[in-house]
Amino acid sequence: GTYTNSGNIVGARMTGNVSGGRYVGGIVGDLSSNASVQTVRAEGSVSGSGDTGGLLGFASGTGSLTAGDALGDVTSSATTTFSVGGAVGYFNMAGGMGGVTAAGNVSGGAQTGGVVGTYNASAALTGAAGPGRKRGRAGSDSTAPFAPKSRRRRHGKTWGKNRKRPF
């Protein structure tokens, strides 16, 4: 559903499967408000045809997401547009995201990530952990869940933009 109120969402839990259309999430599909989402848990699979996430499908506003667990698989039939993430599909909340984990498989979307498909907030992303498998569209921005492309860790070494990578 859509949530546009300013009250916080605290302690919400989802234990079934959710499927829908453009904005689909285990807790909220479209969060367009100043609310903060705290200590939430989704234990079922989530599937959609647009921005899709285990906790939130689409999130924008001045709030934040903290202490959330998404444990199910997340899929979207959209392969050329939209964002898909284990916890959040598209995230643009000024308060940032922290302490969020995703444990299921993630597939679909033009931007696909283990924790978040697209992170478009100016605040930091901290304490996030993603799933074992994710499959996005070929050529998409589906790299690490929160590491910029220019600095990736491989076998304990950090490789910058201008260094030749061993892989």
Side-chain angles (χ1 to χ4, degrees):
T2 299
Y3 188 81
T4 57
N5 296 326
S6 59
N8 294 336
I9 298 172
V10 180
R13 182 175 176 168
M14 181 276 286
T15 58
N17 297 327
V18 178
S19 63
R22 185 170 181 177
Y23 303 119
V24 184
I27 302 297
V28 178
D30 178 4
L31 178 68
S32 298
S33 75
N34 299 329
S36 290
V37 181
Q38 306 164 355
T39 319
V40 293
R41 183 178 181 93
E43 298 177 2
S45 296
V46 179
S47 63
S49 59
D51 291 325
T52 306
L55 299 173
L56 306 173
F58 176 91
S60 68
T62 60
S64 63
L65 171 61
T66 55
D69 296 312
L71 305 179
D73 294 341
V74 179
T75 60
S76 177
S77 61
T79 57
T80 58
T81 57
F82 300 108
S83 302
V84 181
V88 181
Y90 180 89
F91 189 87
N92 188 16
M93 297 185 82
M97 181 188 305
V100 176
T101 60
N105 296 322
V106 181
S107 63
Q111 291 82 34
T112 304
V115 174
V116 62
T118 298
Y119 191 87
N120 197 25
S122 59
L125 172 61
T126 59
R133 300 183 81 198
K134 69 182 160 64
R135 295 184 304 271
R137 182 179 64 81
S140 72
D141 292 334
S142 59
T143 57
F146 48 85
K149 288 182 180 180
S150 63
R151 300 200 39 94
R152 297 217 187 101
R153 296 186 60 81
R154 175 109 173 161
H155 304 294
K157 296 181 180 178
T158 301
W159 303 95
K161 281 184 188 178
N162 301 321
R163 292 195 173 186
K164 186 175 180 181
R165 296 180 186 161
F167 51 95

